[in-house]
Amino acid sequence: MRHIRKAAVIGSGVMGAAIAAHLANVGIPCLLLDLVPTSLTAEEERRGLTLDHPAVRNRLATQAIARLHKASPAPLYRPEFAQRIQPGNLEDDLAKIAEVDWVIEVIVESLEPKRQLLERIEQYWRPGTIVSSNTSGISINEMVAGRSDAFRRNFLGTHFFNPPRYMKLLEVIPGSDTDPELVRFMADFATRRLGKGVVIAKDTPNFIANRIGTYGLLVTFEEMQKGGFSIEEVDAVTGPALGRPRSATFRTLDLVGIDTFVHVAYNVHAHVSDPVEQQAFIVPDAIRSMVERGWLGEKSGQGFYKKVKDGGTTRILSLDLATMEYREQVKVKSASLEAAKAAKGGKAKVQALLAGKDKYAQLAWDIVKRVLIYSAEKMGEIANSPQDVDAAMRWGFNWDLGPFELWDAIGLVPSAKRMQEEGLTLPAWVEAWIAEGHKALYEEREGAVYMPVGGMPAPVQVPAGVIDLASLKQVGRVVKQNAGASLVDLGDGVACLEFHSQNNAIGPDILAMIEQSVSIVEREFQGMVIANQGRNFCVGANLMLMLMAAQEGDWDEIDLSVRMFHKAMTTLRYSAVPVVAAPHRMTLGGGVEVCLASSRVLPSAETYFGLVEVGVGLIPAGGGCKETARRVSESVSADEDLVPHLARMFQTIGTAKVSTSGDDALAMGWLSENDRVIVNGDLQIAAAKAEVLRMAEHGYTPPVRDARIRVAGADGKAVLQMAARGMWQSGYISDHDLLIVNKLAHVLAGGDVPADSLVSESYLLDLEREAFVSLCGEPKTQERMQYMLAKGKPLRN
Ligand code: NAD
C-alpha cells in the first residue's frame, strides 16, 4: 500500500522552499536539495570557508529555509516546524532520495534541465517511490521521455499554486503512462493530508487554471486597448465587481511578476497548433516593452502600478500605456459598478454589473463573453468536466465563480443568444446542450446536480468526506432555526449547529439556539457539531448591541446579556451528549468561548483563534476568563505554583494575541491534548461528526458539575498586576490598557481570596460579569468599541 512519510523537494527557490514548508506543516519531514554554489560569498571568505565546506555546499537550501521565517504571509504553521526540513545539495545528497516516498522536482521552468535532473533521479530511484514535477506548464510526457516504464508509471505532475500553504488548488496531471492508482492515491493524499482542492488536469500547455487565466488576462488587455480604458478602470471592473479578488487584473500581474506572465503566455503560444489560439497568446508590445525596461511589478518596485513616497505619505500611481509614464490614479465610478458594490456575494455582483447599461458593464461583457467561449472550447481538451474547470479557477485564481458557474449566473440561454447575435460561435457541445432544452450548465434534478460531460448529463462529484450544510438545508434537514443559527441534521444521529448571523457574531438569537439545540440533541441525537461554512467561524459577541446599551447607560441590559451568555455556555459545557466545535479562520472572543465550552475542538489548519476583548476595552466575559482559570488549575499538580502558568495566559489575553494557525492555537495553550487540527477545512464537519460518534460510542460523560477550581488569589493577582505596571511604565501599554488588564488579573486570579483557595465556577463567572459591566461604563472602552465597529481594527487609546 502506498504511503508518504518522508519526502524530498528538489529546487529551493520560491516554490520549492514553500512546498517543503507545507509538507513540514502537516508533519512530513523532507530533504530540500539545490545546486552546489560555484563561488564563495564575501561572508564565507571572511569565515575562511572553502567550496568543499558543507555549509557552502548546502548554502542555497539553508538560506531558503532561513527565508521561510521572514516570508509573508507565513509559509509555516509554526516556526519550529522548519526543523522538519533538512537542507542538502544535489551532489552529496541525491542518493538519500532512496529513503523517501515522494520526490518533487521544483527547479527552473525549462524542459532540458528538468529532463536531465529526472535522469539523475532515476539512478537512485527505488521502485514505488513517487516522483512528480511542479512545472507550471511543461509537458509531463516529454519530461520523462527516455525514462524506464516503471519510472514513468510512478511519475506525474503536481502543480501547486503560490503560496502553497494558502492557495487551495493542486493540479494533478497524469502522464500517458502514469499508474491510475497513483493518480487516485495522490488526489486523496493531497486532499486529506495537504488540505488541497485537487483537480485532475490533462497534459496540455499550462494545464487548466493558467491556460484559462492567461487567456483572460490577454483578452482583458486587448479589450482595454480597444475601448481606450485606463489601468484603474479595468481593475475597477475586473475585481470584486466581477466576483474576483481585489487585486483584479493589473495588481495581480504586478504580484505574479510581468516577466513570469510573459513566460507563461509564451508557453501556450509555442505549444498549441491552432493559429487563432497562437495569435491570442501573443504578448502585446506594451507588456514586452515593460519587461525590457525592467518594470516587472512588485519585485522590481514598479509595474502597472508604482508606489511613491512623498514625505510621510505613500501614493500609488498607475501606468499610462499611451505615454509609458506614471500618473495619479483617477477615481472610477459608474452606476453599474455601484450596483455591483451594493450587491452581496460574487454571483449577485456579477449579475448587477452585467445588467448595467454603461461603458463598464459593456467592458465586463466584452471580456466575460470571450472567456466563457474559450473555456467552453477548451473544456474537453484540458479537463474532464466543466466542474473541474470551475474548481480550478476558484481555487487557483480566487474567483468566486468559475466560468461555467458564471455563465449560469448570468443566464445560460439569454447570454448565449446575445453572443450569437454579436457574431460569436458557440462551441458545439454548448449549442447542443441548449438545443436539448437545458436552461443551465448545472441543473438540479431530484436532489442532485448534473452537468454536461461528453454531451450527457453527469452528476456533479462531491469529494468523499465533504459535508455541505447549504445542500443539506435545501433538502429539508433543518431541525430548528432562527435568524442567527440553524440546527441541521447531519445524519447518523449527529446534528450541526450552524451560526449564520452577520459576520457570525453572537447575539441573543444564537444564544437561544445554543440552549434549544442542546435540549434537542440530548433527546434526539448522539451529539452535536458546532461549525459553519461562512467566511469566518465567529468574530465574537455582537458588539453593536453592547455598545448601544452602554451608550444608553442600560447596565441592567448588559448584566442580563452576560448572564445569558454564561447560561448558554454552561448548558453547552454540561450537555449530556458530546459537543465538538470545528472552528475555522477568524475565531475571536465569544467564538473562542463557544469552543472552550465544547467537549472537544477540531480547528482547521487556518484558524486564527484568540480572546481579543482587550482590543475593544473589555475582558472576556462569556466564560473565557473562568475557563482559562479552570484550565490552568487543572494543568498543574496540586502542589505546583499556579502563577507562572497563569501569567502566560494573562499575557496572551492581555495583549489580545491571536494564533496564526490551528497548530499555533494548540501551542498557545487554548486547546487540550484531545483536540487536533484538520488540515482541509472542507473535511472538518465530517471529521467533527466522526469524532462525536466516536465519543458517544465510547460512553461520553459530561464534566462533573461545579467542581472546585484552585485559584492564584490575591498574591497571584499582585504578581500579574505588577507585570502589567512594568509594561505601563515602559510605555508599552496605555493608562486605559492598564485599567483593563488590572481587572483581567483580578478575574483570572479569582479576586482577593487567599492563594490556592478553591472556588466555584459561578463565583468566577460573577467576577467576569462585574468587571465586564464596569468596563462598559468607561468612555474609552466605548470609544474602542465604536472604532472597531466603524473601522474593523482596534483603537489604542
Ligand atoms: P526559482 O527560480 O525561485 O527556483 C528554482 C530553483 O531551482 C533555484 O533555487 C535554483 O537554484 C534551482 N535550479 C535551477 N536550475 C537547476 C538545475 N539545473 N538543477 C537543480 N536545481 C536547479 O523558481 P520557482 O518560482 O520556485 O519555480 C520552480 C518551478 O515551480 C518551476 O517549474 C515553475 O514553473 C513552478 N511554479 C512556480 C510558481 C511561482 O509562482 N513561482 C507557481 C507554480 C509553479
Side-chain angles (χ1 to χ4, degrees):
M1 212 179 78
R2 286 191 190 270
H3 58 250
I4 295 177
R5 304 210 173 105
K6 204 166 176 220
V9 176
I10 308 203
S12 65
V14 174
M15 286 303 281
I19 291 170
H22 194 55
L23 294 173
N25 281 338
V26 301
I28 298 171
C30 59
L31 292 170
L32 181 63
L33 309 184
D34 209 306
L35 298 171
V36 173
T38 50
S39 61
L40 293 172
T41 62
E43 167 67 10
E44 285 162 350
E45 278 184 20
R46 199 185 52 72
R47 286 169 57 200
L49 302 180
T50 62
L51 284 173
D52 296 333
H53 195 282
V56 176
R57 295 177 73 75
N58 294 345
R59 186 211 304 148
L60 291 184
T62 309
Q63 286 182 342
I65 296 168
R67 277 196 301 274
L68 291 175
H69 296 289
K70 299 196 194 101
S72 172
L76 290 162
Y77 290 165
R78 292 188 47 72
E80 59 266 37
F81 289 175
Q83 290 161 13
R84 294 178 181 151
I85 311 173
Q86 190 191 336
N89 69 71
L90 279 164
E91 286 174 24
D92 305 328
D93 302 306
L94 196 57
K96 291 185 185 154
I97 63 166
E99 296 155 23
V100 307
D101 308 303
W102 182 18
V103 181
I104 318 171
E105 171 280 306
V106 201
I107 66 165
V108 55
E109 181 73 349
S110 176
L111 178 60
E112 224 20 70
K114 284 188 192 288
R115 282 171 78 142
Q116 285 168 12
L117 177 67
L118 290 168
E119 188 176 351
R120 285 182 66 201
I121 287 175
E122 189 170 12
Q123 291 165 16
Y124 301 100
W125 176 73
R126 184 172 44 89
T129 297
I130 304 162
V131 182
S132 74
S133 169
N134 189 54
T135 175
S136 310
I138 297 178
S139 165
I140 297 300
N141 285 322
E142 283 183 34
M143 250 186 262
V144 282
R147 303 276 63 73
S148 69
D149 290 354
F151 190 88
R152 292 204 312 276
R153 265 201 303 281
N154 286 282
F155 182 75
L156 74 175
T158 51
H159 181 208
F160 287 86
F161 281 64
N162 191 18
R165 167 179 166 184
Y166 299 94
M167 290 300 292
K168 181 124 182 132
L169 181 60
L170 178 78
E171 288 178 332
V172 167
I173 312 113
S176 30
D177 299 320
T178 309
D179 182 354
E181 182 274 325
L182 169 60
V183 178
R184 280 192 294 275
F185 168 83
M186 193 44 100
D188 184 68
F189 170 84
T191 305
R192 283 175 197 285
R193 286 295 302 279
L194 304 179
K196 294 296 119 196
V198 174
V199 167
I200 307 293
K202 297 192 183 172
D203 188 15
T204 56
N206 292 13
F207 314 126
I208 302 175
N210 281 340
R211 177 82 164 260
I212 306 280
T214 313
Y215 180 84
L217 290 165
L218 289 163
V219 158
T220 304
F221 201 87
E222 197 184 316
E223 294 298 336
M224 170 176 86
Q225 293 201 305
K226 250 196 242 165
F229 291 100
S230 68
I231 303 279
E232 58 266 39
E233 284 180 301
V234 171
D235 273 357
V237 173
T238 58
L242 209 53
R244 297 191 191 165
R246 262 174 219 297
S247 54
T249 299
F250 293 109
R251 177 101 184 88
T252 301
L253 281 170
D254 276 354
L255 286 169
V256 167
I258 296 158
D259 52 338
T260 305
F261 169 71
V262 170
H263 190 78
V264 172
Y266 177 75
N267 193 49
V268 183
H269 173 78
H271 290 99
V272 294
S273 48
D274 172 5
V276 177
E277 192 176 11
Q278 274 180 353
Q279 184 69 27
F281 280 87
I282 290 179
V283 175
D285 291 342
I287 299 186
R288 280 186 192 288
S289 155
M290 290 176 71
V291 175
E292 280 159 21
R293 293 165 194 239
W295 300 354
L296 308 180
E298 188 124 310
K299 62 184 166 191
S300 71
Q302 66 195 93
F304 291 102
Y305 293 100
K306 182 180 179 177
K307 251 190 214 165
V308 287
K309 286 206 171 122
D310 256 347
T313 57
T314 308
R315 289 176 308 140
I316 299 176
L317 306 180
S318 70
L319 182 64
D320 183 337
L321 288 161
T323 59
M324 288 310 256
E325 279 173 12
Y326 291 92
R327 54 156 180 76
E328 292 292 338
Q329 289 190 53
V330 180
K331 198 130 191 78
V332 185
K333 256 186 125 165
S334 87
S336 65
L337 290 173
E338 286 303 309
K341 198 169 174 189
K344 291 257 172 298
K347 185 172 166 185
K349 283 182 188 296
V350 175
Q351 287 169 339
L353 176 64
L354 288 173
K357 296 275 172 272
D358 55 39
K359 61 178 179 178
Y360 298 127
Q362 183 65 42
L363 173 64
W365 168 249
D366 288 338
I367 296 168
V368 160
K369 68 180 179 192
R370 294 179 63 187
V371 173
L372 298 189
I373 292 214
Y374 184 71
S375 304
E377 276 172 353
K378 291 295 128 191
M379 197 276 290
E381 183 186 328
I382 63 177
N384 292 318
S385 72
Q387 181 190 2
D388 283 351
V389 175
D390 283 338
M393 298 318 292
R394 267 190 278 108
W395 293 335
F397 275 70
N398 288 330
W399 291 5
D400 287 341
L401 305 170
F404 302 112
E405 290 158 341
L406 192 151
W407 206 337
D408 279 353
I410 61 172
L412 171 70
V413 178
S415 57
K417 189 158 165 267
R418 184 174 168 193
M419 290 174 195
Q420 284 173 315
E421 284 165 3
E422 293 177 14
L424 294 170
T425 309
L426 295 179
W429 70 267
V430 178
E431 210 171 346
W433 185 254
I434 294 174
E436 281 167 28
H438 299 284
K439 299 281 177 271
L441 292 165
Y442 292 92
E443 273 195 328
E444 258 183 72
R445 253 191 290 139
E446 294 144 19
V449 183
Y450 293 84
M451 61 181 162
V453 176
M456 301 292 287
V460 163
Q461 303 291 322
V462 180
V466 173
I467 293 178
D468 179 37
L469 292 177
S471 314
L472 289 178
K473 290 201 294 191
Q474 247 172 22
V475 295
R477 301 277 278 272
V478 176
V479 181
K480 182 141 196 99
Q481 86 184 120
N482 66 21
S486 298
L487 185 69
V488 182
D489 185 350
L490 297 180
D492 304 316
V494 182
C496 176
L497 176 60
E498 177 205 27
F499 300 166
H500 45 62
S501 58
Q502 193 171 12
N503 292 326
N504 285 342
I506 303 179
D509 44 6
I510 290 189
L511 295 176
M513 271 301 292
I514 290 178
E515 301 257 13
Q516 291 164 6
S517 299
V518 171
S519 143
I520 295 171
V521 292
E522 282 183 336
R523 283 195 317 269
E524 298 171 19
F525 291 85
Q526 307 231 38
M528 178 167 85
V529 169
I530 304 182
N532 64 73
Q533 291 167 326
R535 184 177 288 275
N536 296 303
F537 176 72
C538 171
V539 295
N542 188 328
L543 209 54
M544 180 62 100
L545 294 180
M546 215 56 84
L547 178 64
M548 274 162 38
Q551 284 173 336
E552 284 164 17
D554 194 347
W555 315 125
D556 287 347
E557 172 70 25
I558 296 176
D559 188 273
L560 190 70
S561 307
V562 179
R563 284 177 195 273
M564 272 174 66
F565 214 118
H566 282 161
K567 187 161 168 281
M569 294 306 107
T570 306
T571 304
L572 261 188
R573 177 159 159 75
Y574 294 105
S575 154
V577 292
V579 175
V580 176
H584 67 282
R585 300 190 66 81
M586 278 202 318
T587 303
L588 305 175
V592 168
E593 288 168 318
V594 165
C595 294
L596 298 184
S598 301
S599 345
R600 198 153 286 183
V601 189
L602 262 52
S604 89
E606 299 301 339
T607 302
Y608 317 122
F609 199 85
L611 289 172
V612 294
E613 286 82 351
V614 169
V616 288
L618 297 167
I619 63 158
C625 290
K626 180 270 286 179
E627 268 306 299
T628 306
R630 187 185 69 74
R631 282 159 192 246
V632 168
S633 127
E634 282 186 5
S635 69
V636 298
S637 54
D639 51 357
E640 205 180 330
D641 184 5
L642 288 171
V643 178
H645 302 276
L646 197 63
R648 198 178 108 186
M649 300 314 282
F650 172 64
Q651 197 187 16
T652 302
I653 304 174
T655 54
K657 194 169 164 204
V658 177
S659 75
T660 57
S661 64
D663 284 272
D664 196 37
L666 286 175
M668 275 164 67
W670 288 126
L671 305 172
S672 73
E673 61 201 21
N674 289 323
D675 299 333
R676 70 196 151 84
V677 172
I678 307 297
V679 182
N680 191 332
D682 295 345
L683 306 178
Q684 227 183 332
I685 295 184
K689 174 183 167 186
E691 193 72 24
V692 165
L693 289 173
R694 205 166 16 242
M695 290 168 80
E697 192 185 327
H698 294 157
Y700 177 73
T701 42
V704 177
R705 255 185 202 271
D706 227 4
R708 301 281 121 169
I709 298 168
R710 180 159 74 97
V711 291
D715 295 352
K717 167 175 151 181
V719 174
L720 301 184
Q721 291 186 337
M722 198 140 70
R725 201 174 165 74
M727 302 264 291
W728 173 76
Q729 275 167 339
S730 344
Y732 287 120
I733 62 173
S734 67
D735 293 354
H736 192 51
D737 285 324
L738 183 64
L739 176 89
I740 303 162
V741 296
N742 274 338
K743 285 190 192 281
L744 176 66
H746 176 76
V747 180
L748 287 179
D752 293 316
V753 296
D756 296 325
S757 296
L758 296 176
V759 302
S760 67
E761 290 197 1
S762 56
Y763 165 80
L764 287 172
L765 292 177
D766 285 344
L767 291 185
E768 262 188 31
R769 184 169 42 78
E770 285 160 16
F772 185 89
V773 177
S774 77
L775 283 168
C776 282
E778 293 288 335
K780 286 200 165 173
T781 284
Q782 293 179 17
E783 270 174 43
R784 284 191 183 193
M785 290 200 241
Q786 205 151 21
Y787 192 88
M788 176 60 80
L789 287 167
K791 311 248 166 158
K793 57 183 180 195
L795 169 73
R796 304 246 69 137
N797 56 359

